[in-house]
Amino acid sequence: MTPGDAGMPATEVLAVLEALERRGCWVALEGGWGVDALAGRQTRLHRDVDVDVDAAQERVALSVLEELGYAVETDQRPTRVELVAPRGRRVDVHPLRFDAAGDGVQTGLCGEQYRYPATSFVTGCIDGRPVRCLSVAQQIEWHAGYAPRESDRADLVVLHDLVRDGHSPGW
């Protein structure tokens, strides 16, 4: 984020989720806003919101975001598509393919397969609204796959506090 940039506020996250859900899109939060949904409060400023969507609904999801004023900035499909809008708003879309058991798979840029067990999708809360998000365990696992940035370290502190306090959904 740049100085003076408000990043991605909770009101915009909820507007994005509501617009996607109105159009019948399956959506779940991960990343920083997913962590904050688990915590039930905003713990830091966020550059973007990371949303998992059903790959079968990807076109609809991108269309909904375009209707909200977002435009594709980074296209790294099949892994992710990042969209931007005025005032520093950003949405990072992660398409997942689901099997009959409800397990999701995200395909990496080199064909890697990242598994999202059905049990890793839990309910968190943003500004009093229930939202689907990744579990504490899944969030911690994803954070282990790369060198953490400052924001990742902050998220890991929140996740480990949730584990320590014993009130984390999905653990």
Side-chain angles (χ1 to χ4, degrees):
M1 293 188 355
T2 59
D5 184 357
M8 192 67 173
T11 53
E12 183 66 13
V13 171
L14 293 175
V16 165
L17 293 176
E18 289 166 7
L20 290 167
E21 290 168 351
R22 263 195 314 275
R23 291 283 291 278
C25 292
W26 183 97
V27 60
L29 296 176
E30 66 173 90
W33 273 112
V35 171
D36 284 1
L38 291 164
R41 64 186 169 77
Q42 186 171 351
T43 63
R44 63 175 178 85
L45 291 177
H46 299 279
R47 176 183 177 269
D48 63 4
V49 60
D50 293 283
V51 295
D52 297 327
V53 300
D54 185 336
Q57 300 170 321
E58 180 182 356
R59 280 189 175 164
V60 173
L62 294 178
S63 173
V64 167
L65 292 169
E66 288 173 2
E67 291 167 10
L68 292 176
Y70 289 87
V72 173
E73 179 184 75
T74 304
D75 188 340
Q76 294 180 325
R77 284 182 258 195
T79 307
R80 64 185 280 269
V81 179
E82 186 172 34
L83 298 95
V84 297
R87 299 183 318 279
R89 299 175 299 153
R90 293 178 173 272
V91 179
D92 197 353
V93 176
H94 304 255
L96 307 180
R97 290 184 334 280
F98 288 93
D99 63 20
D103 296 333
V105 174
Q106 180 183 24
T107 302
L109 291 174
C110 297
E112 311 91 332
Q113 302 287 295
Y114 302 103
R115 296 195 43 76
Y116 291 70
T119 56
S120 71
F121 298 105
V122 299
T123 301
C125 188
I126 294 179
D127 281 355
R129 181 193 185 277
V131 297
R132 183 183 295 124
C133 58
L134 284 183
S135 68
V136 171
Q138 192 71 35
Q139 288 270 28
I140 290 172
E141 182 177 332
W142 285 158
H143 279 84
Y146 56 90
R149 301 164 295 182
E150 181 179 332
S151 59
D152 299 312
R153 287 190 291 276
D155 289 346
L156 284 166
V157 167
V158 173
L159 291 166
H160 288 291
D161 285 349
L162 289 169
V163 171
R164 184 196 67 231
D165 295 344
H167 65 277
S168 58
W171 185 262

